Amino acid sequence: MSQRTFHLSPPPSPSLPIRANDPGFSGGCMELCGGRLVEAGEGSVLNGDPEALSALLEGDLARLRSILHTPKDANIRLEIKSDQLLWTSKKFGLWSLEYKRELTSPLCIAATYGYTDCLRHILQCGAEVNLVPGPRSALQQACANAHPHCVQLLLEHGANPRLLSEEGLTSLHLCDSPHSFLCAKLLLSHQADINQLSDEEGTSPLHVAAEHGLVEHVLLYLRYGAKVDRVDSRGQTPLGSACAQPQSSGSQEAYHQVCQLLMTHGADVNAVDGERATPLHRAARNANHALVQLLLQHHADVNAIDYNGSSPLRCALQSAVLKQELQPQCTVQTLLNHGSHRVWPGAFIKVLKSCAVSPQTIEVLFNSYQQIQVTEEWPEVVPEDILQVHWSFYKSLFALASRPRSLQHLCRFAARKLCGDQCQAIIPTLPVPRCLHGYLLLEPQGWVF
């Protein structure tokens, strides 16, 4: 039987009946009304006894003590049959729908649900603490579900924190939520390897923490000597992993702190992955303005080119339509103010077509040129519904087909040209009215002239 990763659902309600000896399985099997089937081996107290199984799944310590006594019962393998259907192929070309199945044990079930007292009893009955009946050990399940008391108990009984799961992950890799911080701390105090890599993807625990924006985890791992520029199978460093994650406006601050920590500890801001993309490429594509600013402050290469021939600016423009809630024009503006090479003027119509829904992005980029010829084709590439919503901006843009840019704009262009790639640093220091600083830094106004 193949083994696949499976997260147990919450235990069934005590009020739900349990039917024993389902005809579909041999060896004594019980069907839970929650859609779970469990089969125990011959000779086990769990075999054919719905009370024993119910006590285990509900965390009823009193009933469990009266039922489970021997090492044989403590180490029994249980087969969980989910109500989830999966397509499987046993023979070439022949596919069928089957219920998802997993192997587990009483110890793994107690660790999964966080039943610390039940876990202690099962261990006292002689459970093998490092038994891996299915995809994960009990310690790995406790970490994945953030149960620090269970983690501590298992470690005190000799659980191996360096053991790999079926997925090739250690317990430390499975500490991937904010609530798992204490679990990670316990693992490291019991000789978990902070730089142990996962089997398939070659990720370190620091990669996982950075990928999930876990600030406390990252700081803890760095204090324990995590290698800040370790690369995974895709060539990504933890900094690259953090920048590559799509982020909502609510999660951006956490990723900003993670990246700040990594760079403070010496992370290479211009490290390239297997696609020759830098962290700045990833952050720009995600329209994470604050993170883009942070990377540029640490001397990220604003004009780095990946294998697709894309610069960070091009990445920001390509994703602008999908990142409207993150104000992609701010990312484009910051890249231009740090000296990003602009789009070839002849290709501007392609930007207009792809970013039409974001007129502020169009405005920022358009104002970075001295003059671009507006042709009769431009209005044709903007969808009618978008044109109506943003008519005031597009009316001012298309009106430039018959007249040159204003003297005010040309003066802005000349001033920016003198500042070169230091616009962001120099312009705020110029002895001009503060209201002009924003104009010189390409702050959008809602129209062009």
Side-chain angles (χ1 to χ4, degrees):
M1 181 181 65
S2 63
Q3 298 179 7
R4 293 174 296 274
T5 305
F6 177 64
H7 295 283
L8 292 172
S9 66
S13 168
S15 62
L16 295 176
I18 300 178
R19 300 196 302 274
N21 301 319
D22 182 85
F25 289 85
S26 60
C29 131
M30 290 147 281
E31 181 175 359
L32 308 182
C33 291
R36 302 287 181 266
L37 291 169
V38 179
E39 183 176 14
E42 294 291 343
S44 165
V45 69
L46 293 173
N47 185 30
D49 187 349
E51 284 299 315
L53 182 63
S54 176
L56 180 62
L57 291 173
E58 295 166 15
D60 191 328
L61 179 61
R63 280 196 293 159
L64 196 63
R65 278 176 173 168
S66 67
I67 295 169
L68 195 147
H69 304 287
T70 68
K72 184 173 184 180
D73 291 324
N75 292 303
I76 195 69
R77 292 173 185 262
L78 306 172
E79 184 178 59
I80 305 292
K81 183 178 180 183
S82 169
D83 52 5
Q84 178 184 356
L85 288 169
L86 296 176
W87 284 103
T88 59
S89 176
K90 295 182 178 179
K91 294 182 179 180
F92 180 76
L94 297 177
W95 290 81
S96 62
L97 275 173
E98 294 186 0
Y99 288 104
K100 190 176 183 180
R101 304 168 110 182
E102 294 293 356
L103 289 176
T104 187
S105 68
L107 196 68
C108 286
I109 292 175
T112 299
Y113 294 135
Y115 299 149
T116 309
D117 293 335
C118 292
L119 191 71
R120 183 179 290 106
H121 174 69
I122 297 169
L123 287 167
Q124 291 170 349
C125 288
E128 296 178 20
V129 72
N130 288 313
L131 178 70
V132 187
R136 294 174 178 173
S137 68
L139 179 61
Q140 290 159 355
Q141 290 285 22
C143 290
N145 292 281
H147 297 308
H149 295 297
C150 291
V151 170
Q152 183 172 2
L153 184 60
L154 290 164
L155 289 169
E156 289 172 352
H157 282 77
N160 182 4
R162 303 188 182 193
L163 196 66
L164 293 177
S165 69
E166 185 183 76
E167 310 138 289
L169 304 174
T170 67
S171 297
L172 208 52
H173 285 94
L174 295 167
C175 294
D176 58 4
S177 70
H179 302 296
S180 66
F181 175 71
L182 289 178
C183 298
K185 199 171 183 179
L186 286 165
L187 292 170
L188 289 170
S189 68
H190 285 77
Q191 281 69 55
D193 185 353
I194 189 61
N195 289 307
Q196 187 172 355
L197 303 181
S198 63
D199 250 3
E200 293 185 7
E201 297 184 353
T203 56
S204 68
L206 187 59
H207 278 96
V208 175
E211 182 179 330
H212 289 85
L214 304 177
V215 181
E216 290 186 324
H217 289 64
V218 169
L219 183 57
L220 176 69
Y221 296 167
L222 291 170
R223 286 175 176 172
Y224 270 84
K227 295 181 179 179
V228 73
D229 278 331
R230 169 84 76 174
V231 296
D232 61 16
S233 60
R234 298 168 298 175
Q236 268 191 353
T237 64
L239 178 60
S241 294
C243 294
Q245 292 308 301
Q247 301 136 23
S248 65
S249 56
S251 66
Q252 285 190 343
E253 176 59 28
Y255 283 95
H256 185 276
Q257 291 182 45
V258 164
C259 294
Q260 178 71 71
L261 280 171
L262 292 171
M263 286 185 280
T264 299
H265 284 77
D268 182 1
V269 74
N270 287 311
V272 296
D273 58 23
E275 297 178 356
R276 298 293 299 174
T278 66
L280 187 58
H281 282 94
R282 304 301 185 185
R285 189 174 296 279
N286 285 321
N288 191 329
H289 178 230
L291 191 49
V292 165
Q293 284 183 312
L294 180 66
L295 292 166
L296 290 169
Q297 288 167 7
H298 284 77
H299 310 294
D301 184 357
V302 73
N303 289 308
I305 301 297
D306 64 14
Y307 274 148
N308 295 317
S310 296
S311 67
L313 177 63
R314 183 177 176 184
C315 290
L317 293 172
Q318 287 173 338
S319 64
V321 67
L322 303 174
K323 303 288 183 177
Q324 282 299 289
E325 73 283 2
L326 299 178
Q327 298 183 316
Q329 72 274 6
C330 295
T331 298
V332 172
Q333 179 185 355
T334 296
L335 292 169
L336 289 168
N337 286 332
H338 281 82
S340 174
H341 296 160
R342 293 161 296 177
V343 177
W344 176 56
F348 193 91
I349 190 172
K350 295 181 179 179
V351 178
L352 178 63
K353 182 177 181 180
S354 63
C355 298
V357 72
S358 180
Q360 289 183 312
T361 301
I362 298 294
E363 179 184 348
V364 168
L365 183 60
F366 185 75
N367 281 334
S368 68
Y369 299 87
Q370 180 179 13
Q371 178 84 37
I372 293 184
Q373 182 180 0
V374 178
T375 68
E376 296 179 354
E377 297 176 348
W378 285 29
E380 298 175 2
V381 302
V382 180
E384 185 64 29
D385 56 334
I386 296 176
L387 198 61
Q388 291 178 1
V389 173
H390 305 289
W391 172 243
S392 60
F393 168 75
Y394 283 113
K395 180 182 179 181
S396 68
L397 177 65
F398 300 148
L400 292 175
S402 58
R403 64 172 181 261
R405 298 300 303 267
S406 67
L407 179 59
Q408 182 176 324
H409 165 72
L410 296 177
C411 289
R412 170 172 59 185
F413 179 82
R416 288 178 58 83
K417 187 175 181 180
L418 287 173
C419 295
D421 60 3
Q422 297 298 311
C423 286
Q424 192 70 53
I426 296 175
I427 288 176
T429 67
L430 294 178
V432 296
R434 188 177 296 272
C435 61
L436 288 180
H437 289 164
Y439 180 77
L440 291 171
L441 289 172
L442 304 178
E443 285 287 345
Q445 297 176 301
W447 66 88
V448 290
F449 52 89

